[in-house]
Amino acid sequence: MVTYGLWSWKAKLDTYLDGEVPEGEMRTFDAHVRSCPSCSGDALTRVQMKRSIQAAGRRYTPSAEFRKRMQQKIASRPRRSFGLGWTFAAAAAAIIVVGTLTSVYLGPRSGKDQVFSEIADLHVATLASSSPVD
Amino acid sequence: MQQALEQLPVAYREVLLLCEVEEMSYQEISATLAIPMGTVMSRLSRARKALRGGLQEQFAERVN
């Protein structure tokens, strides 16, 4: 069981919301965010920020310079040789099968979306419990 | 938001867009940009911080 101080939790919150925390720590993080009003509030703010960046990013028109830079970087990526064509084909087929089965079992929501909606629900519940309606 | 995004340094903007819009993992970004994972994480963190700062500035300008 991993334990952190409050500031350590906060420092890793973006990594957690990006789904990049290691599997073992993910459960610890989930449990902490569920129980800590400060972190769940902070997580909600960051999720809203992520959504805004996604929306703005989709409308973003890169300058010619920026586009050229990105194209060069992507084009200069080392490419795998296809000498092991069948191995790649088998791996791709396995990934498709696993992906299909996973989507069938997990339903249409992605893991990130589920985390985000749970955080939002939790935050609303926390707000409701700390300020009861007369 | 779009204005704040455009004001980010290119190195931060590219990492942020690959992460948030293209939904690439840190490892994929690292491979695409040929930079270490630690650099991806630090640039992302700084990009988000700079973006928050930029948005706060914009908000303050509108209020004043």
Side-chain angles (χ1 to χ4, degrees), chain B residues 18-53:
Chain B
L18 290 177
C19 176
E20 302 291 12
V21 182
E22 299 301 325
E23 298 190 351
M24 283 188 180
S25 68
Y26 293 176
Q27 201 165 8
E28 286 170 331
I29 298 171
S30 163
T32 303
L33 301 179
I35 54 175
M37 279 263 280
T39 309
V40 173
M41 293 167 81
S42 61
R43 282 188 190 173
L44 260 179
S45 169
R46 286 178 195 146
R48 284 169 171 147
K49 199 173 173 184
L51 200 63
R52 277 194 287 269

Side-chain angles (χ1 to χ4, degrees), chain A residues 65-113:
Chain A
E65 187 195 345
F66 185 79
R67 187 177 299 167
K68 194 177 168 190
R69 183 183 153 99
M70 290 304 292
Q71 282 171 343
Q72 279 172 349
K73 287 197 171 181
I74 291 169
S76 66
R77 284 171 70 179
R79 297 198 180 275
R80 289 195 181 107
S81 106
F82 285 94
L84 300 171
W86 284 108
T87 314
F88 282 106
I95 289 167
I96 291 167
V97 169
V98 170
T100 309
L101 290 175
T102 307
S103 65
V104 166
Y105 281 108
L106 296 180
R109 270 184 167 180
S110 75
K112 273 188 190 174
D113 282 349

Side-chain angles (χ1 to χ4, degrees), chain A residues 35-92:
Chain A
S35 63
C36 174
S38 173
C39 285
S40 67
D42 213 349
L44 185 69
T45 308
R46 290 178 200 217
V47 168
Q48 287 167 342
M49 180 87 166
K50 279 171 81 69
R51 297 261 193 255
S52 303
I53 296 169
Q54 282 165 359
R58 287 191 188 108
R59 288 194 305 267
Y60 172 71
T61 311
S63 65
E65 187 195 345
F66 185 79
R67 187 177 299 167
K68 194 177 168 190
R69 183 183 153 99
M70 290 304 292
Q71 282 171 343
Q72 279 172 349
K73 287 197 171 181
I74 291 169
S76 66
R77 284 171 70 179
R79 297 198 180 275
R80 289 195 181 107
S81 106
F82 285 94
L84 300 171
W86 284 108
T87 314
F88 282 106

